Amino acid sequence: MARRRIRTGVLAGALSLALLAAGCGDSKENDKAKGTDNTTADQGGGNDKLASTDCGQLEYDADAPTGGEYVDYAYMSDSGTNTSFDPGVVQTLNESQITSSLFDGLTDFDFTEKCAPELKGSVAESWEVNDDATEITFTLKGDREFSNGEPIKPSNFKKAWERAGSAELASPYGYLVTYIEGGEDLQAGEADELSGVTADDEAMTLTVKLSAPNADFPAIVSHPFFSPADNADLEKVGNTTGWGTKGLTVGNGPFKLEKADETEVVLVPNENWKGNVYGDTTVHLDKLTFVMSSTVEAAYQTFEAGEGDSAPVPSGKFQSAMKAYPKNSVVEPNMGSYYFDFGFEDPDLGGEENLPLRKAISLAIDREEINTKVYEGTRSIATGVVPPGIPGFKADLAEYAKLDVDQAKTYLKEWEDAGGKLSRPIKINYNEGGSHGDVAQIIQSNLKNNLGLDVELAPVAEDYFRVVAEEGGCNLCRSGWYADYPTYGNFMVDLFSKAAIGGNNFGRYDNPDFEAKIKAAQAETDEVKRGELYNEAEDILLNQTVDAVPLVYYVGGQVFRDRVLNYDQPPLGVMLWERVALEG
């Protein structure tokens, strides 16, 4: 079968064209569903930047000073949700800041042009894809090493993937291994090896046979889940994980781990690092320290008192923070969205019989009030789960992502007339900290005042992402997603597929029509057609079954000191910490 050889990436040109055609259109299109009117509002930047044809470039001064310790309060500011920065299980943007500093994968995206990401080889020198996207052969670079000096071989990837996808590890991203032949058996605990992966350490090739066609797979392996593992480190932790040294820590990224405990994580430069996909080979800092805080508010107060180099901005502080600290990321758009899931199996909210109620709830939520009161107008109202900037993005896709109280009451009456009745108050599940409680309170008030529904707040103090993913864990639950890689499937498949139940599919959504559509999209090698199929899948989710409630698109939310240089956040939200520098 014919094969295509790729050195810089199969998605490079196609992504750019798709972004310009679909995700980067007239900014007016992206504000139509704000629940009020169709005018365009400049809300301090917001995601309108990703919805224009010129998204700008990442700014970087390669000649910035070297040395010094950078102390970050921004990302470890909600300790209750921090569980592990192990690449096999890392689940939050906060912990990904550490993981991505420690590990490099086969591929990565170059966001030099923010609206035109280019997929490139990182540890992979090149890769070949067969015509139906069912087999990929990666050829690895021969000079890559772990931070302990051990060479990186194809078998380091194969063993790491088998551990990450094992039933014992029970990774929330474990479903990713099912893309590979033999992955389902691994996930089920019926196999210890991935039959579809062949690692040839002499030839430096890793051949991957997929369980079904998946044209996005070269992009998917940029996810930390597919990082390599050092043999000794792997032997030490086995198929277990946890915070700090309880998980994999010996990586091949720009930094290596010096310390990790319940108070801080300290990284230092990895002298064996060979560089990133941008061509950078230098780490500017001598030390990068992530300090734990109990809440976002506490972290910000510490920053205001003069400690640290960066901090998160809590609810009610966005405008004042932007004035006090002109150097900030608050107006920088991220490829991410903030939404709520309905519990698919919930007796009061799930099922076909409760569809009118779900429509009513989504239409009764005032997204402008959330954006104004919680984020002080710095975010853009979401018109779908998939944000602008993702190839194939379609503006105004969600019919019920707007405020329409009259229509909401009509749907509520339809539900009640058919015998609908709540057996208990609706519970809004959310993780404490990060302004989520403020959002939940507004939703509670909206549903009470607009529809007369009885709603209770149900915060989760620790391990929220595990608790809410359990059976019965989600009633109306807070979700949010920063793209792991800029593909439509990263939102549809990772968040709502049947395979992701128990992981990132918090609502446990399981719809056969949706499944058929995303499988067709994965098999489609034409970028434009793939985007159209994913549009149809999202339409099923948001309009035909209404099983998610889009609220706002993400922007950055950190402030930093004047002495900080090269703090330009890529659209995925994960910092290029190797570029960050300190002046003076």
Side-chain angles (χ1 to χ4, degrees), residues 468-507:
V468 78
E470 296 174 353
E471 187 173 357
C474 174
N475 194 209
L476 176 58
C477 60
R478 199 288 289 186
S479 296
W481 190 256
Y482 289 91
D484 296 312
Y485 32 86
T487 69
Y488 215 118
N490 188 227
F491 288 82
M492 294 293 97
V493 180
D494 291 64
L495 301 180
F496 302 104
S497 70
K498 183 176 182 179
I501 292 176
N504 295 314
N505 184 349
F506 296 159

Side-chain angles (χ1 to χ4, degrees), residues 9 77 133 163 223 276 301 317 324 331 359 441 502:
S77 59
R163 180 246 183 190
H223 191 282
N276 57 25
Q301 289 171 6
K317 296 286 186 178
V331 299
K359 292 179 180 179
Q441 287 178 19

Side-chain angles (χ1 to χ4, degrees), residues 502-556:
N504 295 314
N505 184 349
F506 296 159
R508 306 176 73 85
Y509 184 64
D510 185 3
N511 181 280
D513 294 334
F514 179 85
E515 289 290 312
K517 198 65 69 175
I518 60 174
K519 282 181 170 55
Q522 288 176 310
E524 180 55 65
T525 57
D526 182 277
E527 291 286 338
V528 175
K529 292 179 181 178
R530 191 187 315 161
E532 292 172 348
L533 288 167
Y534 275 129
N535 289 159
E536 293 171 12
E538 190 173 9
D539 175 73
I540 293 172
L541 170 73
L542 298 179
N543 298 326
Q544 297 182 34
T545 66
V546 194
D547 276 278
V549 181
L551 296 179
V552 294
Y553 295 127
Y554 279 132
V555 295

Side-chain angles (χ1 to χ4, degrees), residues 435-452:
S435 307
H436 307 308
D438 299 324
V439 173
Q441 287 178 19
I442 291 175
I443 294 176
Q444 179 188 41
S445 177
N446 289 163
L447 298 185
K448 177 64 175 179
N449 296 336
N450 294 336
L451 296 177

Side-chain angles (χ1 to χ4, degrees), residues 4 107 122 164 227 260 281 315 339 354 360 396 402 404 407 423 431 496 522 529 535 551 559 574 576:
R4 302 189 301 281
T107 63
S122 182
S227 298
T281 57
S315 175
Y339 64 97
N354 294 316
D396 305 325
K402 59 184 179 181
D404 190 333
Q407 188 62 48
S423 63
N431 47 316
F496 302 104
Q522 288 176 310
K529 292 179 181 178
N535 289 159
L551 296 179
V559 291
V574 177
L576 293 169

Side-chain angles (χ1 to χ4, degrees), residues 68-72 285 287-289 309-310 564 567 577 580 582:
E69 178 184 6
Y70 188 103
V71 179
D72 174 82
L285 300 170
K287 186 176 290 187
L288 173 59
T289 299
D309 294 293
S310 54
V564 176
Y567 196 104
W577 290 106
V580 174
L582 296 172

Side-chain angles (χ1 to χ4, degrees), residues 214 372 417 501 531:
N214 194 331
T372 301
D417 288 347
I501 292 176

